[in-house]
């Protein structure tokens, strides 16, 4: 074999010599050009969810126009999935990316971004302007360790949607609702209850609403430990009861908001717990059913103790690495001013965070349920405030979905242990 | 006829042996005379030529791996950058005592073993088809290779829609069911998507192996009265063994690191996550660089073990292997 190998090796070396090519590594230096003086117009990069209604784009255009030549806002649309939005911003902020100025954060992200030092605190006149006339619960989501870190842009909350051709008076509690559904089933009428049961953020929201309505909380007030306890067991019992009562949608373990909407529009359901976007959709898709499509406050866990529904929405924060922070604060305030919030509510159906807008007749035609939304927002609950929220939520969603598999006491105990691990960034998340 | 005989019988017709008969008279003495000096110069030249590649490899492979090892020994959570500190092997302890890791490993191994086994059988059939077909050889090969040419993520979306109730024809075929929401059914669909996608690659590698088998040998075996099955098992397979092992090694390593199909089909939901998906979730959803890096390193070790087993097996069992 050696006699074969050596001449071949020699030839290979020669071939290599003949075809030797030099490798040139060119390094280019990117110079930052973020300096702005009085004469130039600063460009502020606004990263936010992709708004199909056009309301955000209108606000961006309006604010750029009214900035007095100080800044123009460039609207950069983030990916559709919330996880991907967060990942993109976290990744870039961890690398001190200076090309992001204003960030559209989901209501659960402010503690995480603030704790990591990625967003600037709101102080002085900016803080006062951000708080003036703003609903208290949305402000809570933007606050971390008693310091405001973002300004609420819009809010969101769920109502109970029902069909008044099937149900004369809307149920006040979960037990009543399940009993109503079972009665309808006996009569052979559409009876299903539509709610988000898939293994994702939506099912955590459901659990958070139940535990808050039962007078409990997921974490202790300082956010350092799991709280859960008896209210959690009560909430888990309700989730399991619905899932095994025959009144839940058979697809409950995979349903998200949009599947709920479609099932209600298909006419198989009597009740739906969902956000207000279902209203214009029903109006457009099924005018006949729309006549019987009514709303009420979210059902309570205990009779006489109103539900505390979890809120959603977007908060605007300013990146620590923004080259123009003072302009960014001003621009963020402009993006969520009265005019732009009203437009976002009318065009995009997003509930405003300025309380006075709920008594503005301009809102009434598209928001016949404005009084219920305001009531829900005033009594609302927020999701656990902790920088480790994302991990806590994953742990919860894996334990409460599929809801039929819940074992109230055992599930509560398992969640306490895993949430405590998640808070200490110790354990592995599924 | 054994494989050893087959290899002996093959030698007079190969290109290698022709080189031996033509060149040794000039090549050998020249090489012997300047052995030390020439060899050293050659080695120096070799290293010089390799140096840029080695540097690039260090920068893009060695550095990230070592950095991942370093991160895996720390409590390093992007959300708590101030609290980062060295904690030794604690992260590995956390991962190895976590039921999620072992679940992911079992799921990954199930997907790997089943998909590679199916791919091997189907790939062999397709390879023989591509190699032996007397008509439309080009068209046939193109058709078989199409799935491999489609971007995995795009194909995975196709499967996802097909299996989703109300949008998918496959779901409709099975009574509008939602198989992607059930663990076993979802894993079966992931394996199906994986097999559909990568069988052509297996077939391509195996076809290269088939072309190693000399026609004369098969004709000789036929003359000796060997049936088609005997010729395949006793002549073709032993001669193809190196190609088969390379194909299996490549696919096993790829299958073990499965990510994109699962990410699109189920996003790891309902217990369908593989080790790579678990690593991704801990790194990028939990932003926990310590735990996530520990998972990455463990995946790297698993891959190294698989490669080691194959190479050991290859060296020990390949017929006519050098040395």
């Amino acid at each position: 074999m050696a006699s074969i190998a050596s001449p071949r090796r020699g030839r290979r070396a020669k071939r290599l010599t003949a075809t030797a090519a030099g490798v040139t590594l060119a390094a280019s230096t990117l110079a930052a050009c973020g300096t702005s003086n009085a004469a130039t117009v600063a460009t502020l990069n606004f990263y936010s969810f992709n708004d199909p209604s056009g309301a955000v784009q209108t606000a961006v255009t309006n604010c750029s126009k009214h900035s007095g030549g100080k800044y123009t806002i460039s609207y950069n649309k983030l990916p559709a999935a919330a996880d991907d939005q967060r990942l993109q911003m976290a990744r870039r902020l961890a690398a001190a990316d200076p090309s992001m100025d204003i960030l559209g954060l989901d209501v659960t992200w402010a503690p995480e971004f603030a704790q990591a030092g990625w967003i600037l605190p709101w102080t002085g006149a900016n803080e006062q302007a951000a708080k003036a006339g703003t609903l208290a619960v949305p402000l809570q989501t933007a606050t971390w360790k008693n310091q405001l870190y973002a300004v609420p842009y819009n809010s969101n909350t769920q109502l109970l949607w029902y069909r008044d051709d099937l149900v004369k008076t809307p149920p006040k509690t979960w037990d009543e609702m399940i009993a109503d559904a079972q009665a309808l089933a006996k009569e052979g009428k559409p009876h299903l209850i539509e709610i988000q049961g898939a293994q994702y953020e939506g099912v955590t929201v459901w659990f958070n609403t139940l535990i808050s309505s039962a007078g409990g909380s997921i974490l202790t007030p300082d956010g350092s430990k799991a709280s859960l306890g008896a209210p959690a067991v009560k909430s888990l019992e309700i989730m399991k009861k619905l899932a095994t009562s025959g009144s839940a949608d058979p697809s409950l373990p995979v349903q998200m908001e949009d599947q709920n909407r479609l099932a209600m529009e298909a006419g198989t359901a009597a009740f739906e717990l969902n956000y207000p976007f279902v209203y214009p959709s029903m109006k457009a898709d099924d005018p006949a059913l729309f006549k019987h499509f009514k709303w009420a406050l979210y059902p309570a866990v205990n009779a006489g103790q109103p539900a505390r529904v979890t809120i959603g929405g977007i908060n605007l924060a300013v990146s620590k690495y923004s080259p123009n922070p003072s302009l960014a604060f001003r621009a963020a305030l402009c993006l969520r001013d009265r005019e732009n919030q009203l437009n976002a509510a009318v065009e995009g159906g997003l509930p405003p965070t300025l309380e006075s807008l709920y008594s503005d007749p301009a809102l009434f035609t598209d928001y016949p349920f404005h009084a219920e939304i305001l009531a829900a927002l005033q009594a609302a609950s927020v999701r656990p405030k902790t920088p480790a929220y994302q991990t806590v939520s994953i742990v919860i969603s894996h334990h409460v979905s599929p809801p039929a598999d819940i074992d109230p006491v055992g599930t509560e105990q398992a969640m306490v242990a895993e949430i405590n691990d998640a808070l200490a960034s110790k354990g592995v998340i599924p | 006829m054994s494989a050893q005989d087959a290899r002996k019988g093959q030698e007079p017709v190969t290109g290698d042996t022709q080189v031996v008969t033509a060149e040794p008279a000039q090549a050998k003495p020249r090489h012997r005379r300047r052995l030390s000096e020439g060899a050293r110069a050659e080695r120096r030249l070799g290293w010089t030529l390799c140096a840029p590649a080695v540097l690039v490899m260090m920068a893009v492979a060695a550095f990230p791996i070592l950095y991942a090892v370093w991160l895996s020994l720390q409590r390093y959570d992007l959300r708590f950058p101030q609290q980062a500190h060295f904690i030794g092997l604690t992260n590995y302890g956390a991962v190895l005592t976590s039921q999620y890791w072992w679940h992911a490993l079992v799921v990954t191994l199930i997907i790997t073993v089943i998909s590679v086994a199916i791919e091997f059988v189907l790939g062999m059939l397709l390879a023989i088809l591509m190699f032996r077909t007397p008509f439309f050889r080009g068209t046939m090969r193109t058709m078989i290779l199409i799935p491999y040419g489609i971007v995995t993520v795009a194909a995975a979306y196709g499967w996802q829609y097909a299996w989703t109730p109300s949008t998918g024809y496959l779901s409709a075929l099975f009574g509008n069911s939602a198989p992607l929401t059930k663990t076993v059914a979802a894993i079966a669909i992931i394996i199906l998507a994986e097999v559909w996608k990568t069988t052509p690659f297996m077939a391509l590698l195996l076809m290269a192996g088939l072309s190693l088998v000399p026609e004369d040998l098969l004709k000789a075996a036929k003359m000796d009265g060997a049936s088609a099955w005997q010729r395949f098992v006793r002549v073709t397979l032993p001669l193809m063994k190196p190609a088969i092992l390379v194909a299996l090694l490549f696919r096993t390593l790829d299958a073990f690191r499965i990510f994109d199909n699962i990410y699109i089909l189920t996003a790891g939901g309902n217990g369908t996550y593989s080790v790579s998906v678990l690593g991704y979730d801990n790194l990028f959803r939990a932003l926990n660089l310590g735990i996530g890096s520990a998972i990455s390193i463990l995946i790297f070790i698993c891959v190294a073990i698989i490669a080691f087993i194959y190479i050991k097996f290859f060296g020990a069992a390949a017929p006519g292997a050098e040395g």
Side-chain angles (χ1 to χ4, degrees):
Chain A
M1 269 336 216
S3 61
I4 302 173
S6 25
R8 283 163 99 209
R9 212 178 282 151
R11 281 193 296 162
R12 202 175 294 156
K14 259 183 253 166
R15 213 182 306 141
L16 272 174
T17 324
T19 59
V23 177
T24 314
L25 291 172
S28 63
T29 318
L30 292 169
C33 45
T35 47
S36 63
N37 51 47
T40 58
V41 183
T43 299
L44 299 173
N45 281 301
F46 174 37
Y47 279 80
S48 193
F49 68 99
N50 187 0
D51 167 35
S53 75
V56 173
Q57 186 57 57
T58 310
V60 162
T61 314
N62 285 346
C63 291
S64 300
K65 209 182 291 171
H66 299 144
S67 76
K70 290 243 165 46
Y71 60 79
T72 56
I73 303 173
S74 156
Y75 174 28
N76 301 275
K77 298 170 188 78
L78 288 168
D83 273 347
D84 298 334
Q85 299 178 2
R86 170 175 161 273
L87 176 56
Q88 181 181 142
M89 291 196 280
R91 186 167 49 76
R92 294 173 66 174
L93 290 166
D97 187 338
S99 64
M100 304 212 271
D101 297 288
I102 306 163
L103 312 169
L105 306 183
D106 189 275
V107 282
T108 57
W109 300 343
E112 179 175 52
F113 282 50
Q115 182 69 33
W118 294 334
I119 49 177
L120 293 172
W122 288 61
T123 52
N126 288 331
E127 183 185 10
Q128 275 171 13
K131 286 182 173 171
T134 306
L135 287 162
V137 183
L139 268 180
Q140 272 181 43
T141 66
T143 308
W144 174 238
K145 291 186 171 167
N146 295 320
Q147 170 64 55
L148 189 71
Y149 276 95
V151 59
Y153 171 69
N154 71 275
S155 192
N156 218 343
T157 192
Q158 295 191 334
L159 295 176
L160 167 64
W161 307 87
Y162 67 99
R163 280 174 53 180
D164 69 353
D165 56 333
L166 300 170
V167 192
K168 290 298 160 225
T169 46
K172 292 262 187 297
T173 65
W174 276 90
D175 288 337
E176 279 178 39
M177 181 164 68
I178 294 173
D180 284 355
Q182 284 171 332
L184 285 169
K186 277 201 192 111
E187 296 167 34
K189 289 183 179 165
H191 63 281
L192 297 180
I193 298 172
E194 294 296 323
I195 192 157
Q196 302 82 47
Q199 211 169 68
Y200 80 121
E201 184 64 24
V203 80
T204 305
V205 167
W206 180 19
F207 177 71
N208 189 64
T209 296
L210 290 178
I211 192 173
S212 306
S213 306
S217 64
I218 292 172
L219 299 185
T220 54
D222 64 348
S224 66
K225 278 211 316 276
S227 162
L228 299 181
V233 176
K234 173 82 185 159
S235 311
L236 293 168
E237 280 167 3
I238 291 177
M239 294 174 100
K240 184 166 178 102
K241 181 179 173 187
L242 173 68
T244 52
S245 66
S247 32
D249 193 301
S251 315
L252 176 67
V254 289
Q255 279 191 311
M256 304 191 197
E257 290 85 353
D258 215 45
Q259 283 91 332
N260 295 140
R261 171 182 72 84
L262 291 170
M264 191 77 184
E265 290 177 9
T268 54
F271 304 98
E272 175 182 19
L273 285 314
N274 215 334
Y275 296 96
F277 79 102
V278 297
Y279 183 80
S281 170
M282 180 66 93
K283 193 175 182 178
D285 293 352
D286 196 334
L289 213 52
F290 178 71
K291 286 189 200 110
H292 299 292
F293 194 56
K294 295 291 180 293
W295 59 90
L297 285 174
Y298 200 96
V301 167
N302 301 317
Q305 196 180 337
R308 299 189 57 216
V309 190
T310 310
I311 62 162
I314 299 290
N315 296 328
L316 304 181
V318 174
S319 163
K320 185 188 166 191
Y321 307 103
S322 164
N324 298 298
S326 57
L327 289 178
F329 280 116
R330 274 170 58 185
L333 285 170
C334 170
L335 287 169
R336 51 88 66 183
D337 70 9
R338 203 185 148 84
E339 183 198 346
N340 288 325
Q341 281 207 32
L342 182 63
N343 190 41
V346 173
E347 298 293 326
L350 300 174
T353 52
L354 290 171
E355 191 166 353
S356 61
L357 278 174
Y358 288 91
S359 47
D360 190 327
L363 194 70
F364 293 175
T365 37
D366 293 291
Y367 257 68
F369 35 79
H370 57 91
E372 284 81 4
I373 293 273
L374 181 61
L377 286 178
Q378 280 167 336
S381 61
V382 299
R383 281 167 268 183
K385 276 168 60 180
T386 163
Y389 175 72
Q390 216 49 229
T391 3
V392 171
S393 170
I394 290 169
V395 167
I396 293 170
S397 63
H398 274 73
H399 280 290
V400 301
S401 172
D405 294 350
I406 291 174
D407 154 34
V409 175
T411 303
E412 191 267 348
Q413 284 167 354
M415 282 203 291
V416 169
E418 281 188 42
I419 288 173
N420 285 335
D421 268 0
L423 291 173
S425 55
K426 270 208 308 226
V428 178
I429 61 144
Chain B
M1 191 199 279
S2 80
Q4 229 72 20
D5 298 334
R7 180 45 79 89
K8 268 178 213 147
Q10 164 199 9
E11 279 186 352
V13 292
T14 60
D16 281 4
T17 35
Q18 281 167 352
V19 175
V20 180
T21 48
E23 286 190 35
Q26 307 153 345
K28 257 186 194 169
R30 188 190 64 191
H31 200 78
R32 285 229 175 103
R33 201 171 58 238
R34 293 155 55 184
L35 185 70
S36 53
E37 190 192 324
R40 233 183 289 138
E42 230 173 60
R43 193 173 299 169
R44 237 194 335 270
L45 177 66
W47 277 112
T48 318
L49 290 172
C50 282
V54 170
L55 285 177
V56 172
M57 287 298 284
M58 294 283 273
V60 302
F63 171 71
I65 291 172
L66 292 175
Y67 189 57
V69 171
W70 172 235
L71 283 175
S72 74
L73 299 175
Q74 295 181 64
R75 182 197 176 197
Y76 199 128
D77 193 318
L78 267 192
R79 296 163 302 186
F80 307 100
Q82 302 87 351
Q83 292 173 35
H85 64 276
F86 185 82
I87 53 167
L89 295 171
T90 312
N91 285 332
Y92 290 93
V95 175
L96 292 174
T97 54
S98 161
Q99 46 152 334
Y100 300 128
W101 161 260
W102 295 108
H103 179 91
L105 192 64
V106 169
V107 168
T108 311
L109 288 174
I110 289 172
I111 293 174
T112 306
V113 170
I114 298 180
S115 67
V116 173
I118 299 174
E119 280 163 25
F120 176 63
V121 175
L122 286 180
M124 185 62 94
L125 291 173
L126 290 179
I128 293 171
L129 191 68
M130 287 195 285
F131 194 66
R132 294 280 168 218
T133 180
F135 333 97
F136 310 118
R137 191 173 284 198
T139 321
M140 186 84 78
R141 290 184 182 181
T142 312
M143 267 166 48
I144 289 173
L145 287 174
I146 283 175
Y148 193 61
I150 295 174
V151 180
T152 314
V153 171
Y157 269 114
W159 286 108
Q160 197 227 42
Y161 286 124
W163 286 109
T164 301
S166 82
T167 58
Y169 68 102
L170 286 174
S171 167
L173 219 62
F174 289 87
N176 233 6
S177 59
L180 285 172
T181 63
K182 298 178 191 82
T183 310
V184 175
I187 290 177
I189 290 172
I190 290 165
I191 291 174
L192 175 68
E194 204 47 20
V195 167
W196 179 83
K197 166 84 194 153
T198 46
T199 299
F201 177 67
M202 185 69 108
L204 209 59
L205 289 178
L206 292 176
M207 199 176 77
L210 275 178
S211 64
L212 287 175
V213 181
E215 276 302 306
D216 295 358
L217 213 58
L218 292 168
K219 280 182 193 153
K222 201 174 182 181
M223 287 292 283
D224 292 345
S227 68
W229 177 249
Q230 279 174 321
R231 271 176 280 148
F232 179 68
V233 176
R234 307 293 291 270
V235 181
T236 308
L237 276 187
L239 285 172
M240 278 179 74
K241 206 157 188 176
I244 290 174
L245 282 167
V246 167
L248 287 179
L249 175 65
F250 277 23
R251 276 305 307 143
T252 309
L253 294 184
D254 271 358
F256 189 81
R257 292 172 300 162
I258 181 170
F259 179 80
D260 29 20
N261 262 323
I262 299 181
Y263 186 75
I264 302 299
L265 282 168
T266 65
N270 298 305
T272 56
Y273 48 89
S274 69
V275 284
S276 298
V277 173
L278 187 73
Y280 174 87
D281 280 347
N282 278 277
L283 273 173
F284 297 111
R285 280 172 75 193
L287 301 177
N288 194 334
L289 301 189
I291 292 275
S293 299
I295 294 174
S296 308
I297 296 296
L298 287 172
I299 295 172
F300 183 72
I301 292 171
C302 290
V303 167
I305 291 173
I306 293 173
F308 178 78
I309 291 171
Y310 266 102
I311 288 162
K312 199 78 184 152
F313 174 54
F314 189 7
E322 267 88 357

